[in-house]
Amino acid sequence: MNFKQFGVLLSVSTILGINVIATKVLAAEPSITFGEALGSGGCIVDDQLPGEDGRSLSIVLDNFSAFNGQRQKCILRVQTFIPSGFIVQNVQVLYQGTTDIDRGSKGTNLNRTYSFSGGALGQAVARPQTTKFTSSKAFAEQDEITVLAASGLCSGGGQGLLGINLIAQSSSGSSIFVDTADINAGDVLISFDLKRC
């Protein structure tokens, strides 16, 4: 083998080596470890199911509903452990439930506010969200929360706390349910987008 052939072989092997390394880095998806989700103020966390993707959590609520003019509050707190070298970029939260609205009723509302603290969660940028329902239906409401990373968070992931404050309100002749007997459906599905520091 002459010097020119050796140079071409070396170039090809270097390109292949870089491609293999890049593929391995892309294939290693980071996972979040979730602590116990806690509900208070008018709701109970019946179960929680981590997603197969390692970045989502389905929370099954019990006893979170409002009937005929009632107002019910639910305070959810979810512990997160973000892997070293990653920060949270965005969070999606999906709410599933049903409303039953009688004719002449003013309907129901589902209000949501968010707070992040600690770890690599950064600061949530989300206005309070309100959905008003005026007809009987099953609903799936999704909130998209942008996260601003605080300076110094890239030192290595860490533990954080996601807070969700929910208020379900019904008017006379209406009801809203954000709880279900179907454990596979989930009531609140939280998904995190991570990015490398």
Side-chain angles (χ1 to χ4, degrees), residues 23 129 139 165:
T23 304
Q129 302 290 317
F139 65 82
N165 297 329

Side-chain angles (χ1 to χ4, degrees), residues 13-195:
S13 66
T14 302
I15 291 169
L16 287 176
I18 290 170
N19 285 340
V20 169
I21 291 168
T23 304
K24 284 184 179 181
V25 169
L26 292 174
E29 292 292 329
S31 293
I32 297 173
T33 302
F34 294 100
E36 184 178 2
L38 301 173
S40 63
C43 65
I44 298 166
V45 174
D46 192 43
D47 201 1
Q48 67 184 61
L49 307 165
E52 291 181 11
D53 62 1
R55 293 174 311 283
S56 62
L57 180 70
S58 181
I59 299 173
V60 179
L61 296 177
D62 191 17
N63 197 37
F64 185 45
S65 55
F67 303 90
N68 203 24
Q70 288 180 325
R71 180 178 186 267
Q72 183 79 280
K73 188 173 186 176
C74 176
I75 301 169
L76 287 176
R77 298 294 180 258
V78 180
Q79 287 284 343
T80 62
F81 301 90
I82 309 301
S84 179
F86 289 89
I87 57 172
V88 174
Q89 184 171 9
N90 296 299
V91 179
Q92 299 84 37
V93 185
L94 175 67
Y95 301 93
Q96 300 175 86
T98 58
T99 61
D100 188 17
I101 314 293
D102 288 347
R103 183 177 218 152
S105 171
K106 293 181 181 177
T108 62
N109 291 323
L110 181 63
N111 303 303
R112 292 93 66 191
T113 58
Y114 301 93
S115 63
F116 291 1
S117 62
L121 286 176
Q123 181 62 42
V125 180
R127 295 174 300 155
Q129 302 290 317
T130 300
T131 304
K132 182 169 179 59
F133 302 101
T134 56
S135 61
S136 297
K137 66 178 186 175
F139 65 82
E141 289 293 313
Q142 182 161 321
D143 295 341
E144 303 280 340
I145 304 156
T146 301
V147 179
L148 295 178
S151 61
L153 285 181
C154 283
S155 60
Q159 180 178 345
L161 183 69
L162 167 62
I164 304 174
N165 297 329
L166 301 166
I167 298 175
Q169 181 141 7
S170 64
S171 59
S172 180
S174 66
S175 58
I176 181 169
F177 301 88
V178 193
D179 66 356
T180 181
D182 184 1
I183 198 166
N184 295 320
D187 301 300
V188 180
L189 177 62
I190 306 168
S191 301
F192 290 80
D193 291 336
L194 297 178
K195 74 174 183 178

